[in-house]
Each structure stands twice: as C-alpha cells, then as structure tokens.
Amino acid sequence: VGIGIQERQKRIILSGEPENVLSAKYKLETIKRNPFNFVRELREQREKRIHIFIDNSNVSIGSQYVPRSDGKGVERDLSIRINTKKVAEVVEMQRNAVSRFVAGSHGNSEGPIKWAQAWKDAGYKVTSLPQFQRRGSGVDEMLCNEARFLLRSRSSDSGKNTLVLVTGHGNQSDGKAKFLDIIQQAISMHKSKWDVEVWCWKNSTSNTYTVLADQYPSRISVHYLDKYRNR
C-alpha cells in the first residue's frame, strides 16, 4: 500500500491493491479511535526478540516464479534477483533481531560468493555449501541444526521470542532435519514463550505451513513476500 500525506488538507491518500487498501484503511481508523494502543503495540513490536533463519537458495529461486502474462499459471524468469537488503528490512520490520542466520550453496569457483557478501553486509551470519552437497538437503540441515541449538540455548529466556523462517518448502521426504519439526519444537517445548513466522513466496510454498498456521493461529503465521516484490 502506498501512503501519501497532504498536510494542508489533513488527508492521507492510500493506493495499491484493493484488499490491501481496505486493510490499511481499517487499521488507520482503528489507530484514530485509540492512538495510545497503537503506540503501545508499536513499542512492543520493536522490542520483540526475533531470530531469523533464511534459506537463500529457496528464497532466490522462489522469487523467479511469477504469474504468466496470460494468467494461466506461473513461469520462471531467470533474470530476477532478490534485493537482499529489502528482504531483510521486510522480514525484520524494525524489530529487535537478536539472531540472523543464512545458509545457501555455491558453485565450484574459488572466487567470492556474491550472495553471501550481500547478506553479511546486512548483518547476517552466512554459511554456504558446495552445490553437490545441497542435493542431500545439506542447507536445510544446517538451518535446522542452528535453529534447534538456538531453541535449546534460550530455553530459560523470559518474555517473548519469535522464530522467523524464510523458506518455502516443507522438506518432509528424506527423514533428515525438517523445518516443520523445528516449528513444532518451538511452539511445544517453550509453551507460550515462542511464536513462529514463516516468510515465503506464494508460488513456492508448501501448504503444510498454512495447515499448521490454521491449527495454531495465535502462535504461527505465514507471510508472503509477493506483496513486497515491487517496493
């Protein structure tokens, strides 16, 4: 949603997709009725501790699947590259990012890994595997192991924490570490202390995440990166 402010007329002009405009209009009306609640919610949002785990390969490839011009399904545009800084800004939303971890893969070249440097510049810890190792879900395992270690090491934390997974697939097939297992661990092991967010591209997302979000609506949420694509 685009927001334009005309100071002389004291008006706010909203633009964008109709459903997003309606949602923004409703939110603004709610803020107008009780601005103090909004200030409190904003403060709580910025103080919330979040721990981010990003599958760079999944997010990068997922961004390349776009709707066909004829409206019949999707097609892959190999020229599309993600803007690492913007993805980080969207996911973090000015919150207190305590942990930032990215895993991905690279070719056989001994030169610098461009995508890795971009994430490092955004403040993320980066691990990359050679592409031949990725076939065994090595990237997923690295992310899951890091997340599992985090959950155990912060089991005595007081207050709220949020586990943020930026991925898409449910990796259920090979019997190895699974994102779904990590989500279940987060919401069961720590009871009300941990919430979970899944950020992904709609066209490359396992429906297992939306099923889980329906089962635990107050604990798990799914957010699509698509609506931020052209911002």
Side-chain angles (χ1 to χ4, degrees):
V1 176
I3 300 179
I5 300 177
Q6 295 183 351
E7 294 186 1
R8 291 184 179 180
Q9 291 85 6
K10 303 296 182 182
R11 293 194 301 174
I12 296 177
I13 300 173
L14 302 174
S15 61
E17 296 294 328
E19 62 270 22
N20 293 335
V21 170
L22 285 175
S23 177
K25 182 179 178 182
Y26 174 77
K27 183 63 177 179
L28 288 171
E29 289 173 349
T30 303
I31 294 171
K32 183 179 178 180
R33 289 195 297 270
N34 197 332
F36 297 105
N37 273 353
F38 172 71
V39 173
R40 176 180 54 80
E41 290 174 4
L42 186 62
R43 182 175 62 251
E44 290 176 353
Q45 180 80 346
R46 290 183 173 178
E47 291 176 352
K48 183 182 291 185
R49 294 183 298 244
I50 63 173
H51 308 270
I52 308 169
F53 297 84
I54 299 177
D55 182 338
N56 179 76
S57 302
N58 185 270
V59 173
S60 297
I61 295 172
S63 71
Q64 297 176 337
Y65 287 91
V66 295
R68 290 170 53 93
S69 57
D70 59 8
K72 299 179 181 180
V74 298
E75 60 185 358
R76 188 175 181 183
D77 183 349
L78 294 174
S79 69
I80 293 176
R81 297 291 184 272
I82 62 170
N83 184 319
T84 299
K85 182 180 179 181
K86 286 188 176 181
V87 172
E89 289 176 351
V90 166
V91 171
E92 293 181 16
M93 293 192 297
Q94 297 183 341
R95 294 176 291 179
N96 180 19
V98 178
S99 310
R100 298 181 175 100
F101 189 87
V102 179
S105 60
H106 60 271
N108 296 325
S109 172
E110 295 182 359
I113 306 170
K114 292 182 179 179
W115 67 261
Q117 188 58 52
W119 282 114
K120 289 177 182 178
D121 291 343
Y124 283 74
K125 176 184 176 182
V126 177
T127 300
S128 181
L129 289 176
Q131 287 182 345
F132 72 88
Q133 291 186 29
R134 191 178 186 275
R135 295 178 183 176
S137 300
V139 171
D140 298 345
E141 287 187 82
M142 280 196 299
L143 287 170
C144 288
N145 289 337
E146 287 283 342
R148 185 178 292 108
F149 175 78
L150 173 84
L151 291 171
R152 289 173 179 169
S153 65
R154 303 189 73 95
S155 60
S156 60
D157 277 6
S158 59
K160 278 278 191 180
N161 285 279
T162 300
L163 179 67
V164 181
L165 300 176
V166 187
T167 179
H169 57 83
N171 65 330
Q172 303 179 80
S173 61
D174 59 10
K176 298 180 181 179
K178 303 178 181 68
F179 294 124
L180 298 177
D181 292 341
I182 299 302
I183 292 175
Q184 291 284 7
Q185 180 181 348
I187 64 174
S188 61
M189 178 178 171
H190 302 281
K191 296 183 179 180
S192 62
K193 291 184 179 180
W194 284 82
D195 293 332
V196 178
E197 294 176 6
V198 178
W199 289 79
C200 47
W201 297 101
K202 193 168 186 178
N203 289 319
S204 61
T205 302
S206 168
N207 64 359
T208 51
Y209 292 119
T210 55
V211 170
L212 266 180
D214 289 340
Q215 292 176 350
Y216 305 95
S218 65
R219 305 290 304 283
I220 302 172
S221 57
V222 176
H223 307 267
Y224 295 120
L225 294 166
D226 303 69
K227 66 180 181 179
Y228 303 98
R229 182 183 288 277
N230 297 318
R231 295 188 185 181

